Amino acid sequence: MYAVYHGPAGLKQIATRVHGITAGLAEIIKQGGHALESAAFFDTLVVTPKGGADALIAEALKKGINLRKIDGSRVGVSIDETVTIDDVKDLATLFNPSATEESILKTLQAPKSAIPAGLARTSAFLTHPIFNSHHTEHEITRYCKMLENKDVSLVHSMIPLGSCTMKLNSAAEMLPLTWPEFSNIHPFV
């Protein structure tokens, strides 16, 4: 449903933003004197901090930032579509304390792509009409309701599978009510 809602243009916009933030953050991290494990990435950076992973993670935790400890010398940083500019500023100043708000924003405005040309998508994707039709909340809600209406339920008809079993189970469960121990509890009942 995520792809149906956003469509190809929306997914490309999200991916471009996420990669742009990641590429800008990578540049800021390198300016802070840390090493990146790879020059090619999409949304995740593996960093070898100049002071060691444990020291950086301890400092990050003080600021409420969650980094992934890969091992004693490397940490991982992942960016997704929920990351805000304030989150990026916090990460940037963690890795590069001398970075100013102005320098961070300037770096984020013109990031260089870190996706090798051979790996960049050139073909169309999500070309089915369904991925190009429902891009507002009310449209996706109507689409979900239309899918729901295609499903067979007790609201619309009998469900053929299991109905015999349910009838037999009900009759079998009623049998004990005919036993004298249950039906003849007291003569005045």
Side-chain angles (χ1 to χ4, degrees):
M1 284 302 157
Y2 188 81
V4 170
Y5 180 76
H6 290 289
L11 289 181
K12 187 168 184 169
Q13 180 182 13
I14 292 167
T16 301
R17 179 183 176 272
V18 167
H19 181 66
I21 290 172
T22 308
L25 184 60
E27 192 60 38
I28 294 166
I29 289 171
K30 288 190 285 187
Q31 291 168 2
H34 308 285
L36 295 178
E37 186 169 287
S38 176
F41 53 82
F42 174 68
D43 64 351
T44 301
L45 302 170
V46 177
V47 183
T48 304
K50 61 183 176 186
D54 292 329
L56 185 69
I57 288 174
E59 187 63 30
L61 288 174
K62 288 179 193 173
K63 295 182 176 191
I65 298 172
N66 187 22
L67 298 176
R68 179 172 56 111
K69 182 178 180 180
I70 295 173
D71 55 34
S73 62
R74 298 178 302 157
V75 297
V77 182
S78 293
I79 304 297
D80 68 9
E81 67 270 21
T82 64
V83 171
T84 65
I85 293 299
D86 289 336
D87 296 331
V88 177
K89 290 176 191 174
D90 292 341
L91 281 166
T93 55
L94 174 69
F95 284 99
N96 186 354
S98 64
T100 64
E101 183 174 346
E102 183 181 319
S103 69
I104 293 167
L105 294 175
K106 185 178 179 183
T107 303
L108 291 175
Q109 284 177 354
K112 297 177 185 172
S113 177
I115 299 173
L119 297 178
R121 178 183 287 276
T122 57
S123 62
F125 64 102
L126 300 177
T127 56
H128 190 279
I130 203 65
F131 296 109
N132 296 284
S133 305
H134 310 291
H135 302 306
T136 63
E137 189 174 342
H138 73 275
E139 288 172 340
I140 198 77
T141 303
R142 287 179 180 151
Y143 175 64
C144 288
K145 182 64 178 167
M146 188 255 321
L147 290 177
E148 176 193 338
N149 289 340
K150 287 183 175 183
D151 196 11
V152 176
S153 73
L154 286 175
V155 176
H156 299 105
S157 68
M158 289 297 294
I159 298 177
L161 298 176
S163 61
C164 294
T165 306
M166 287 187 282
K167 288 175 194 168
L168 290 174
N169 285 342
S170 300
E173 290 167 3
M174 297 295 285
L175 183 63
L177 295 177
T178 64
W179 297 344
E181 294 85 1
F182 288 105
S183 60
N184 296 329
I185 297 175
H186 191 276
F188 297 114
V189 175

